[in-house]
Amino acid sequence: MEFKKDNTFFTGRLKSVNYALKGAIKLITTEHSVMVQFSLGIIMVIAGIFFQITATEWLFQTLAIGLVMSVEGLNTAIEKIADFIHPDYHERIGFIKDIAAGAVFFAAITAIIIGLIIYMPKIV
């Protein structure tokens, strides 16, 4: 199947947004780790509304949620490519997948720290 490139600016961008939206929906509906992160993001938005966080706190919280979701999506893509290239266990593929998972870990820890900075003063 060959894709024909759309060279017009508006329709080309519209198609790109459509593909990105389809990808985001696939991530949220098929990948358990993304489902968990998405659910936590929703909970944090509800907490932000409940605790009436400031505009600056919303900026940091939104950035943290977006960071975790983005890195989780990239991690999933790396895992899918690695499994496609080498379906059986391979030490080097495992190393690559571990590094990608480590990136998610860093993003998640950053998000947790941001959440603690925002919400601990409101809870304690």
Side-chain angles (χ1 to χ4, degrees):
M1 180 176 187
E2 192 172 321
F3 290 102
K4 208 172 181 184
K5 184 167 173 84
D6 188 342
N7 291 323
T8 59
F9 180 78
F10 184 73
T11 57
R13 298 305 64 80
L14 206 55
K15 286 181 181 178
S16 294
V17 169
N18 187 38
Y19 293 137
L21 187 58
K22 283 182 183 178
I25 290 168
K26 283 181 187 178
L27 267 173
I28 293 169
T29 58
T30 64
E31 298 300 318
H32 289 90
S33 58
V34 177
M35 289 177 199
V36 169
Q37 301 294 358
F38 184 74
S39 298
L40 290 171
I42 298 288
I43 290 167
M44 297 314 297
V45 168
I46 292 167
I49 293 166
F50 179 79
F51 287 106
Q52 299 178 343
I53 62 177
T54 68
T56 303
E57 291 168 334
W58 273 114
L59 289 172
F60 280 105
Q61 178 169 291
T62 303
L63 184 62
I65 293 168
L67 173 71
V68 171
M69 294 295 296
S70 298
V71 176
E72 190 70 66
L74 291 172
N75 177 52
T76 299
I78 289 168
E79 287 180 355
K80 299 291 183 191
I81 290 169
D83 290 343
F84 179 77
I85 292 171
H86 205 293
D88 298 326
Y89 175 79
H90 190 280
E91 188 176 326
R92 292 166 99 184
I93 294 290
F95 182 78
I96 292 166
K97 290 167 101 176
D98 287 348
I99 289 172
V104 175
F105 176 77
F106 286 134
I109 292 297
T110 302
I112 290 168
I113 291 168
I114 290 170
L116 289 172
I117 290 169
I118 292 171
Y119 292 104
M120 283 306 288
K122 295 169 183 0
I123 294 170
V124 175

mmCIF file of all heavy atoms in Angstrom, residues 73-97:
data_model
loop_
_atom_site.group_PDB
_atom_site.id
_atom_site.type_symbol
_atom_site.label_atom_id
_atom_site.label_comp_id
_atom_site.label_asym_id
_atom_site.label_seq_id
_atom_site.Cartn_x
_atom_site.Cartn_y
_atom_site.Cartn_z
ATOM 1 N N GLY A 73 4.388 7.114 25.123
ATOM 2 C CA GLY A 73 4.089 6.804 23.724
ATOM 3 C C GLY A 73 5.336 6.441 22.941
ATOM 4 O O GLY A 73 5.344 5.481 22.156
ATOM 5 N N LEU A 74 6.414 7.183 23.135
ATOM 6 C CA LEU A 74 7.676 6.864 22.465
ATOM 7 C C LEU A 74 8.220 5.512 22.929
ATOM 8 O O LEU A 74 8.733 4.733 22.119
ATOM 9 C CB LEU A 74 8.704 7.968 22.708
ATOM 10 C CG LEU A 74 8.405 9.299 22.025
ATOM 11 C CD1 LEU A 74 9.384 10.376 22.497
ATOM 12 C CD2 LEU A 74 8.465 9.147 20.521
ATOM 13 N N ASN A 75 8.101 5.241 24.223
ATOM 14 C CA ASN A 75 8.530 3.952 24.756
ATOM 15 C C ASN A 75 7.762 2.812 24.091
ATOM 16 O O ASN A 75 8.343 1.802 23.693
ATOM 17 C CB ASN A 75 8.331 3.914 26.274
ATOM 18 C CG ASN A 75 8.688 2.572 26.873
ATOM 19 O OD1 ASN A 75 9.760 2.038 26.649
ATOM 20 N ND2 ASN A 75 7.766 2.007 27.635
ATOM 21 N N THR A 76 6.459 2.986 23.953
ATOM 22 C CA THR A 76 5.626 1.968 23.309
ATOM 23 C C THR A 76 6.052 1.763 21.865
ATOM 24 O O THR A 76 6.166 0.623 21.394
ATOM 25 C CB THR A 76 4.137 2.373 23.388
ATOM 26 O OG1 THR A 76 3.772 2.474 24.762
ATOM 27 C CG2 THR A 76 3.251 1.365 22.697
ATOM 28 N N ALA A 77 6.310 2.859 21.159
ATOM 29 C CA ALA A 77 6.744 2.752 19.759
ATOM 30 C C ALA A 77 8.076 2.011 19.656
ATOM 31 O O ALA A 77 8.252 1.147 18.783
ATOM 32 C CB ALA A 77 6.857 4.140 19.133
ATOM 33 N N ILE A 78 9.010 2.314 20.538
ATOM 34 C CA ILE A 78 10.311 1.634 20.541
ATOM 35 C C ILE A 78 10.120 0.144 20.806
ATOM 36 O O ILE A 78 10.724 -0.698 20.139
ATOM 37 C CB ILE A 78 11.260 2.274 21.576
ATOM 38 C CG1 ILE A 78 11.693 3.661 21.081
ATOM 39 C CG2 ILE A 78 12.477 1.377 21.846
ATOM 40 C CD1 ILE A 78 12.384 4.505 22.127
ATOM 41 N N GLU A 79 9.272 -0.196 21.778
ATOM 42 C CA GLU A 79 9.016 -1.605 22.082
ATOM 43 C C GLU A 79 8.399 -2.334 20.890
ATOM 44 O O GLU A 79 8.790 -3.456 20.571
ATOM 45 C CB GLU A 79 8.098 -1.733 23.297
ATOM 46 C CG GLU A 79 8.779 -1.396 24.593
ATOM 47 C CD GLU A 79 7.863 -1.537 25.794
ATOM 48 O OE1 GLU A 79 6.648 -1.807 25.618
ATOM 49 O OE2 GLU A 79 8.365 -1.388 26.922
ATOM 50 N N LYS A 80 7.439 -1.688 20.215
ATOM 51 C CA LYS A 80 6.777 -2.312 19.055
ATOM 52 C C LYS A 80 7.768 -2.518 17.906
ATOM 53 O O LYS A 80 7.757 -3.569 17.259
ATOM 54 C CB LYS A 80 5.594 -1.460 18.575
ATOM 55 C CG LYS A 80 4.499 -1.270 19.593
ATOM 56 C CD LYS A 80 3.742 -2.541 19.856
ATOM 57 C CE LYS A 80 2.597 -2.286 20.825
ATOM 58 N NZ LYS A 80 1.985 -3.495 21.311
ATOM 59 N N ILE A 81 8.612 -1.530 17.657
ATOM 60 C CA ILE A 81 9.620 -1.665 16.597
ATOM 61 C C ILE A 81 10.601 -2.772 16.943
ATOM 62 O O ILE A 81 10.933 -3.611 16.103
ATOM 63 C CB ILE A 81 10.368 -0.333 16.376
ATOM 64 C CG1 ILE A 81 9.446 0.694 15.740
ATOM 65 C CG2 ILE A 81 11.608 -0.539 15.502
ATOM 66 C CD1 ILE A 81 10.006 2.109 15.714
ATOM 67 N N ALA A 82 11.058 -2.793 18.189
ATOM 68 C CA ALA A 82 12.014 -3.812 18.623
ATOM 69 C C ALA A 82 11.418 -5.212 18.494
ATOM 70 O O ALA A 82 12.087 -6.139 18.017
ATOM 71 C CB ALA A 82 12.454 -3.546 20.065
ATOM 72 N N ASP A 83 10.162 -5.368 18.898
ATOM 73 C CA ASP A 83 9.504 -6.671 18.797
ATOM 74 C C ASP A 83 9.288 -7.075 17.344
ATOM 75 O O ASP A 83 9.343 -8.257 17.003
ATOM 76 C CB ASP A 83 8.158 -6.652 19.529
ATOM 77 C CG ASP A 83 8.314 -6.581 21.040
ATOM 78 O OD1 ASP A 83 9.423 -6.868 21.544
ATOM 79 O OD2 ASP A 83 7.325 -6.235 21.707
ATOM 80 N N PHE A 84 9.045 -6.105 16.472
ATOM 81 C CA PHE A 84 8.865 -6.382 15.052
ATOM 82 C C PHE A 84 10.182 -6.832 14.418
ATOM 83 O O PHE A 84 10.216 -7.797 13.661
ATOM 84 C CB PHE A 84 8.341 -5.131 14.335
ATOM 85 C CG PHE A 84 8.153 -5.321 12.852
ATOM 86 C CD1 PHE A 84 7.059 -6.016 12.372
ATOM 87 C CD2 PHE A 84 9.064 -4.788 11.954
ATOM 88 C CE1 PHE A 84 6.883 -6.189 11.004
ATOM 89 C CE2 PHE A 84 8.901 -4.955 10.591
ATOM 90 C CZ PHE A 84 7.802 -5.663 10.113
ATOM 91 N N ILE A 85 11.256 -6.156 14.781
ATOM 92 C CA ILE A 85 12.568 -6.475 14.208
ATOM 93 C C ILE A 85 13.084 -7.808 14.717
ATOM 94 O O ILE A 85 13.643 -8.600 13.969
ATOM 95 C CB ILE A 85 13.582 -5.352 14.511
ATOM 96 C CG1 ILE A 85 13.190 -4.091 13.738
ATOM 97 C CG2 ILE A 85 15.005 -5.768 14.174
ATOM 98 C CD1 ILE A 85 13.975 -2.860 14.125
ATOM 99 N N HIS A 86 12.907 -8.032 16.019
ATOM 100 C CA HIS A 86 13.433 -9.259 16.631
ATOM 101 C C HIS A 86 12.418 -9.795 17.639
ATOM 102 O O HIS A 86 12.488 -9.475 18.830
ATOM 103 C CB HIS A 86 14.766 -8.958 17.309
ATOM 104 C CG HIS A 86 15.644 -10.148 17.428
ATOM 105 N ND1 HIS A 86 15.348 -11.224 18.221
ATOM 106 C CD2 HIS A 86 16.826 -10.448 16.823
ATOM 107 C CE1 HIS A 86 16.312 -12.112 18.131
ATOM 108 N NE2 HIS A 86 17.213 -11.669 17.279
ATOM 109 N N PRO A 87 11.433 -10.609 17.175
ATOM 110 C CA PRO A 87 10.347 -11.078 18.060
ATOM 111 C C PRO A 87 10.820 -11.925 19.240
ATOM 112 O O PRO A 87 10.210 -11.895 20.300
ATOM 113 C CB PRO A 87 9.461 -11.911 17.137
ATOM 114 C CG PRO A 87 9.867 -11.574 15.753
ATOM 115 C CD PRO A 87 11.269 -11.072 15.816
ATOM 116 N N ASP A 88 11.888 -12.677 19.079
ATOM 117 C CA ASP A 88 12.403 -13.505 20.165
ATOM 118 C C ASP A 88 13.260 -12.657 21.098
ATOM 119 O O ASP A 88 13.722 -11.580 20.740
ATOM 120 C CB ASP A 88 13.236 -14.658 19.608
ATOM 121 C CG ASP A 88 12.418 -15.587 18.722
ATOM 122 O OD1 ASP A 88 11.214 -15.774 19.024
ATOM 123 O OD2 ASP A 88 12.967 -16.095 17.732
ATOM 124 N N TYR A 89 13.484 -13.179 22.299
ATOM 125 C CA TYR A 89 14.321 -12.447 23.241
ATOM 126 C C TYR A 89 15.729 -12.299 22.681
ATOM 127 O O TYR A 89 16.315 -13.230 22.150
ATOM 128 C CB TYR A 89 14.389 -13.152 24.605
ATOM 129 C CG TYR A 89 15.344 -12.443 25.527
ATOM 130 C CD1 TYR A 89 14.955 -11.286 26.181
ATOM 131 C CD2 TYR A 89 16.647 -12.903 25.697
ATOM 132 C CE1 TYR A 89 15.828 -10.601 27.001
ATOM 133 C CE2 TYR A 89 17.545 -12.220 26.522
ATOM 134 C CZ TYR A 89 17.119 -11.074 27.165
ATOM 135 O OH TYR A 89 18.000 -10.392 27.966
ATOM 136 N N HIS A 90 16.249 -11.094 22.812
ATOM 137 C CA HIS A 90 17.630 -10.826 22.442
ATOM 138 C C HIS A 90 18.183 -9.830 23.446
ATOM 139 O O HIS A 90 17.524 -8.837 23.773
ATOM 140 C CB HIS A 90 17.702 -10.259 21.020
ATOM 141 C CG HIS A 90 19.091 -10.179 20.486
ATOM 142 N ND1 HIS A 90 19.950 -9.159 20.816
ATOM 143 C CD2 HIS A 90 19.765 -11.004 19.646
ATOM 144 C CE1 HIS A 90 21.092 -9.352 20.202
ATOM 145 N NE2 HIS A 90 21.010 -10.462 19.488
ATOM 146 N N GLU A 91 19.380 -10.077 23.921
ATOM 147 C CA GLU A 91 19.973 -9.255 24.970
ATOM 148 C C GLU A 91 20.060 -7.778 24.565
ATOM 149 O O GLU A 91 19.746 -6.893 25.362
ATOM 150 C CB GLU A 91 21.366 -9.784 25.314
ATOM 151 C CG GLU A 91 21.976 -9.112 26.520
ATOM 152 C CD GLU A 91 23.314 -9.721 26.902
ATOM 153 O OE1 GLU A 91 23.490 -10.942 26.732
ATOM 154 O OE2 GLU A 91 24.175 -8.961 27.359
ATOM 155 N N ARG A 92 20.453 -7.495 23.344
ATOM 156 C CA ARG A 92 20.587 -6.102 22.900
ATOM 157 C C ARG A 92 19.229 -5.416 22.758
ATOM 158 O O ARG A 92 19.085 -4.236 23.084
ATOM 159 C CB ARG A 92 21.365 -6.046 21.594
ATOM 160 C CG ARG A 92 22.830 -6.445 21.823
ATOM 161 C CD ARG A 92 23.515 -6.710 20.532
ATOM 162 N NE ARG A 92 24.298 -5.551 20.137
ATOM 163 C CZ ARG A 92 24.944 -5.468 18.997
ATOM 164 N NH1 ARG A 92 24.901 -6.462 18.129
ATOM 165 N NH2 ARG A 92 25.652 -4.405 18.701
ATOM 166 N N ILE A 93 18.229 -6.153 22.288
ATOM 167 C CA ILE A 93 16.878 -5.597 22.202
ATOM 168 C C ILE A 93 16.357 -5.313 23.613
ATOM 169 O O ILE A 93 15.748 -4.274 23.870
ATOM 170 C CB ILE A 93 15.927 -6.553 21.441
ATOM 171 C CG1 ILE A 93 16.336 -6.692 19.974
ATOM 172 C CG2 ILE A 93 14.475 -6.104 21.570
ATOM 173 C CD1 ILE A 93 16.120 -5.473 19.119
ATOM 174 N N GLY A 94 16.615 -6.240 24.535
ATOM 175 C CA GLY A 94 16.216 -6.033 25.930
ATOM 176 C C GLY A 94 16.857 -4.788 26.521
ATOM 177 O O GLY A 94 16.212 -4.032 27.252
ATOM 178 N N PHE A 95 18.129 -4.566 26.183
ATOM 179 C CA PHE A 95 18.857 -3.381 26.653
ATOM 180 C C PHE A 95 18.182 -2.109 26.130
ATOM 181 O O PHE A 95 17.950 -1.159 26.893
ATOM 182 C CB PHE A 95 20.311 -3.466 26.181
ATOM 183 C CG PHE A 95 21.178 -2.330 26.632
ATOM 184 C CD1 PHE A 95 21.679 -2.293 27.923
ATOM 185 C CD2 PHE A 95 21.494 -1.301 25.760
ATOM 186 C CE1 PHE A 95 22.479 -1.240 28.345
ATOM 187 C CE2 PHE A 95 22.294 -0.246 26.168
ATOM 188 C CZ PHE A 95 22.792 -0.209 27.461
ATOM 189 N N ILE A 96 17.840 -2.103 24.853
ATOM 190 C CA ILE A 96 17.175 -0.952 24.237
ATOM 191 C C ILE A 96 15.828 -0.691 24.909
ATOM 192 O O ILE A 96 15.490 0.456 25.242
ATOM 193 C CB ILE A 96 16.995 -1.178 22.717
ATOM 194 C CG1 ILE A 96 18.364 -1.165 22.027
ATOM 195 C CG2 ILE A 96 16.053 -0.149 22.105
ATOM 196 C CD1 ILE A 96 18.352 -1.716 20.607
ATOM 197 N N LYS A 97 15.059 -1.750 25.120
ATOM 198 C CA LYS A 97 13.749 -1.597 25.760
ATOM 199 C C LYS A 97 13.879 -1.113 27.201
ATOM 200 O O LYS A 97 13.062 -0.307 27.666
ATOM 201 C CB LYS A 97 12.989 -2.925 25.693
ATOM 202 C CG LYS A 97 12.554 -3.275 24.273
ATOM 203 C CD LYS A 97 12.099 -4.709 24.181
ATOM 204 C CE LYS A 97 10.626 -4.834 24.174
ATOM 205 N NZ LYS A 97 10.153 -6.218 23.990
#
